Amino acid sequence: MELLAMKTNKESSMSAPSMDEERSSLAGEMEGKVTQYEHSYQQRVPGKKNDGLSISNFWNTTSTSIIFLLTGVPRLEAFHTWISIPFCFLYITTLSGNSLILFAIVTQPSLHEPMYYFLSMLSTTDLSLSISTLVTMLGIFWFDVREISFNACLSQMFFIKLFTVMESSVLLAMAFGHFVAISNPLRYATILTDSRIAQIRVAIVIRGTLRLTPMVALLKRLSFCHSHMLHHSYCFHPDVMKLSCTETRISNAVGLTAMISTVGVDSILILLSYILIIKTVLSIASPEEKKKAFSTCISHIGAVAIFCLPLISLSFVHRFGKRAPAYIHTMIANTYLLISPVMNPNIYSVKTKQICRAVIKILHSKDT
């Protein structure tokens, strides 16, 4: 027993210094990185020597004085200029495609119908979602501008969440519109009037704002005493929560509840609406009418798929892809917010004949 005790004490005495050495080496490495970035920041901005990024202020700060540091693509910093090329292409496609659809719906009287009003709401949401990440993402890739204040980070996080929730709500409203058009086509125009669509638009904005405001209010109360280095090129809610040194269970619960009560509930209601749509279509006797009814839903089904699949893929990567390189996580996180805004205009332009004709007419008029 004495030999065993002596052996245990010897092992613990040998392991303790190794653990201390490991911790000290990690702390030294982090301090070195922060010092290096502070030095580069001072070179870029002369005269700002103590702006909250020094070591003494980098730890144990409150939300009012925080400056977060965004991240580009880890280990590929030298190729940021080349990496920005496909992202620029995605942003240009998003902005031009959605703007063209909005312009077509506004200027073409033949598109002043409920279905196209919902499509204009979807395009507006896609434009807003892409713009909310445009500045920080391209700022990192082009100019290596990584600093973002806490309030700016909070605003970006809120708008990303808000436009995501709004897109989910718009897709639900479009599913309801398809159900009304198929189940009761004669009353479609009387049920979805212009005033009612305006009320739906206002309700979508109010719903998202009320659901997400408590999450933002709780984040304002957090303190951050760890590294302020974020792992994305935009402010991502779970990413910011991990940096807090205060209790975050309530904030996590509120954020999760907000997303479940919006995107989660919307997904279930969209599924139920399509069950009712399929049930209604199957009761139609004519095969041609069945085909026509299903064809009107193809674009919307594609929009729902490209909205949900990137979210599910990102969740799977974060949960099961922990051994994957860091740049894989970053690239997926950067692209998942752009897939839906890029693909929606293409889907509706190809699958919806009226939109396709209106876009061609606009482009042809510009050429002439």
Side-chain angles (χ1 to χ4, degrees), residues 8 29-30 41 69 73 98 131 146 162 167 170 174 190 204 221-222 224 226 232 267-268 274 276 356 365:
T8 305
E29 183 180 354
M30 179 61 68
Y41 178 74
L69 304 178
V73 182
N98 286 287
I131 291 173
R146 301 171 58 198
L162 176 63
E167 182 157 353
V170 171
M174 295 176 78
T190 58
I204 287 173
R221 301 174 59 184
L222 298 179
F224 299 85
H226 300 294
H232 297 83
S267 301
I268 295 173
Y274 270 101
L276 296 175
C356 184
S365 63

Side-chain angles (χ1 to χ4, degrees), residues 291-305:
K291 184 179 180 180
K292 184 179 179 180
F294 278 124
S295 64
T296 59
C297 301
I298 290 176
S299 300
H300 182 257
I301 293 173
V304 173

Side-chain angles (χ1 to χ4, degrees), residues 161-162 164-165 168-169 207-216 237 250-266:
K161 291 279 188 181
L162 176 63
T164 302
V165 170
S168 174
S169 302
R207 179 202 186 199
T209 304
L210 293 179
R211 291 292 185 183
L212 297 174
T213 300
M215 180 190 72
V216 176
H237 180 253
I250 296 177
S251 297
N252 282 323
V254 170
L256 183 62
T257 302
M259 296 308 293
I260 291 176
S261 61
T262 52
V263 178
V265 172
D266 291 347

Side-chain angles (χ1 to χ4, degrees), residues 89-90 92-98 100-101 119 122-123 126 299 302-303 306 338-353 355-356 359:
F89 175 76
L90 292 176
I92 292 172
T93 305
T94 298
L95 298 177
S96 59
N98 286 287
L100 192 59
I101 286 181
L119 179 57
L122 185 65
S123 295
D126 285 337
S299 300
I306 64 174
L338 290 173
I339 292 177
S340 182
V342 168
M343 294 302 297
N344 282 338
N346 296 306
I347 290 174
Y348 280 96
S349 297
V350 172
K351 294 296 182 181
T352 308
K353 293 181 180 179
I355 293 292
C356 184
V359 170

Side-chain angles (χ1 to χ4, degrees), residues 78-346:
F79 303 97
H80 273 181
T81 303
W82 294 103
I83 295 173
S84 68
I85 294 176
F87 283 103
C88 287
F89 175 76
L90 292 176
Y91 275 117
I92 292 172
T93 305
T94 298
L95 298 177
S96 59
N98 286 287
S99 299
L100 192 59
I101 286 181
L102 275 175
F103 184 76
I105 293 174
V106 171
T107 57
Q108 300 297 318
S110 61
L111 299 181
H112 292 176
E113 297 180 5
M115 181 176 68
Y116 303 114
Y117 289 147
F118 287 134
L119 179 57
S120 68
M121 294 163 60
L122 185 65
S123 295
T124 303
T125 305
D126 285 337
L127 276 172
S128 304
L129 183 61
S130 59
I131 291 173
S132 63
T133 60
L134 174 66
V135 176
T136 56
M137 193 176 295
L138 295 185
I140 291 173
F141 289 147
W142 286 352
F143 309 108
D144 195 30
V145 178
R146 301 171 58 198
E147 306 88 5
I148 183 170
S149 66
F150 178 81
N151 289 329
C153 183
L154 201 65
S155 299
Q156 185 184 47
M157 187 192 317
F158 172 78
F159 283 114
I160 290 174
K161 291 279 188 181
L162 176 63
F163 295 132
T164 302
V165 170
M166 286 177 60
E167 182 157 353
S168 174
S169 302
V170 171
L171 291 173
L172 175 60
M174 295 176 78
F176 173 73
H178 284 297
F179 172 70
V180 174
I182 292 173
S183 63
N184 202 344
L186 297 179
R187 297 188 57 195
Y188 179 69
T190 58
I191 293 175
L192 293 175
T193 59
D194 292 348
S195 61
R196 190 158 295 169
I197 291 175
Q199 292 173 0
I200 292 174
R201 184 184 295 113
V202 173
I204 287 173
V205 177
I206 294 176
R207 179 202 186 199
T209 304
L210 293 179
R211 291 292 185 183
L212 297 174
T213 300
M215 180 190 72
V216 176
L218 289 172
L219 285 175
K220 292 282 288 184
R221 301 174 59 184
L222 298 179
S223 297
F224 299 85
C225 53
H226 300 294
S227 169
H228 298 163
M229 189 78 66
L230 299 174
H231 296 91
H232 297 83
S233 57
Y234 55 87
C235 290
F236 190 47
H237 180 253
D239 202 11
V240 176
M241 296 288 290
K242 291 178 182 178
L243 300 181
S244 176
C245 57
T246 52
E247 182 59 52
T248 59
R249 282 184 296 182
I250 296 177
S251 297
N252 282 323
V254 170
L256 183 62
T257 302
M259 296 308 293
I260 291 176
S261 61
T262 52
V263 178
V265 172
D266 291 347
S267 301
I268 295 173
L269 293 177
I270 290 172
L271 180 62
L272 291 176
S273 68
Y274 270 101
I275 292 175
L276 296 175
I277 287 173
I278 292 172
K279 183 179 179 181
T280 304
V281 171
L282 292 178
S283 63
I284 299 175
S286 173
E288 293 183 358
E289 292 180 354
K290 288 182 181 180
K291 184 179 180 180
K292 184 179 179 180
F294 278 124
S295 64
T296 59
C297 301
I298 290 176
S299 300
H300 182 257
I301 293 173
V304 173
I306 64 174
F307 175 76
C308 295
L309 290 179
L311 289 174
I312 296 172
S313 301
L314 184 65
S315 300
F316 270 93
V317 168
H318 275 284
R319 182 173 294 273
F320 302 108
K322 295 181 179 179
R323 295 184 179 180
Y327 64 85
I328 298 295
H329 292 263
T330 304
M331 294 296 286
I332 293 176
N334 287 342
T335 54
Y336 100 96
L337 288 176
L338 290 173
I339 292 177
S340 182
V342 168
M343 294 302 297
N344 282 338
N346 296 306

